[in-house]
Amino acid sequence: MEDIDAIAALQDPVRRRLYEYVVAQGREVGRNEAAEAAGVARTLAAHHLDRLTEAGLLESGSRRLTGRSGPGAGRPAKVYTRARAERAVSLPARDYRTAAELLAEAAEQAGLDAGLCAAARRRGEALRGSAAPCGSLDEAMAMLAARGYEPHLEGTAETQDAESAEETTGEAAAVVRMRNCPFHAVSERFPPLVCGMNLALLEGLLGTDGPVRARMDARPGECCVVVEPSKNNID
């Protein structure tokens, strides 16, 4: 019932807009910023943000938003981020997570990584259907968002030589990173197995011979896979 109560807190449209805005930022958000984004008064935003915190959907803290410290830096402001706890509701009760963990454990012990990745790639291709491989990062972001990955575009100098990328594209290269892993609970227990499966699924979904590609680039707090322009599209 606790999960039902938490999710029911999102029924209010203003509260849901505030929650979605905080989640989409991937960082701490202050009350003023959230209020402006939702188009409501600060006092109303503060009320709903605190309700979301009480429901366990957000976590709150305090820090100085000016970036300064010492005298004259101002008082710390209350800030919010998405809660780390996972919420799920199934009526009647189902326990797919335990089944997934048992299957992952059996696959790992039996050394079925390659078979699992092959099945995941086929599933991704089936989800794409007769459509051509994904044609752009914008198209990839739309596909990933529809599957709950919460993608966002990020300029990067870590993944490739930015100077050479600028020579061919006129701007710094970018990658799509994802703030959410739909398989997070199972991937925490079986990271190599599940992350490999996830990569294969996205390779099938996006295609491997088009303008974009998926590759592994794990970073704490995010999905283990990133999507970027394929090398053939850059060179």
Side-chain angles (χ1 to χ4, degrees), residues 129-152:
S130 59
C134 187
S136 67
L137 289 183
D138 286 342
E139 186 180 335
M141 288 181 69
M143 296 173 71
L144 294 166
R147 301 202 63 79
Y149 283 92
E150 298 181 8
H152 64 102

Side-chain angles (χ1 to χ4, degrees), residues 7 24 45 58 68 94 96 117 122 127 141 150 164 221 234:
I7 294 172
L58 296 180
R68 303 193 305 270
R94 297 288 187 263
Y96 299 114
C117 287
R122 289 194 299 270
L127 291 170
M141 288 181 69
E150 298 181 8
S164 64
I234 294 176

Side-chain angles (χ1 to χ4, degrees), residues 56-169:
L57 296 171
L58 296 180
E59 294 178 357
S60 64
S62 62
R63 67 176 178 87
R64 288 188 173 90
L65 299 178
T66 61
R68 303 193 305 270
S69 60
R75 297 174 57 187
K78 200 163 188 178
V79 292
Y80 302 84
T81 56
R82 175 166 46 191
R84 286 163 288 190
E86 195 171 298
R87 303 287 182 178
V89 174
S90 177
L91 298 173
R94 297 288 187 263
D95 189 5
Y96 299 114
R97 175 173 172 174
T98 296
E101 290 178 345
L102 288 170
L103 290 168
E105 182 177 356
E108 187 174 76
Q109 292 179 354
L112 299 178
D113 304 54
L116 177 61
C117 287
R121 193 170 289 106
R122 289 194 299 270
R123 175 59 64 90
E125 291 169 351
L127 291 170
R128 177 159 51 94
S130 59
C134 187
S136 67
L137 289 183
D138 286 342
E139 186 180 335
M141 288 181 69
M143 296 173 71
L144 294 166
R147 301 202 63 79
Y149 283 92
E150 298 181 8
H152 64 102
L153 196 62
E154 180 179 285
T156 178
E158 299 90 3
T159 56
Q160 48 187 307
D161 185 347
E163 184 175 340
S164 64
E166 288 177 7
E167 289 176 2
T168 56
T169 66

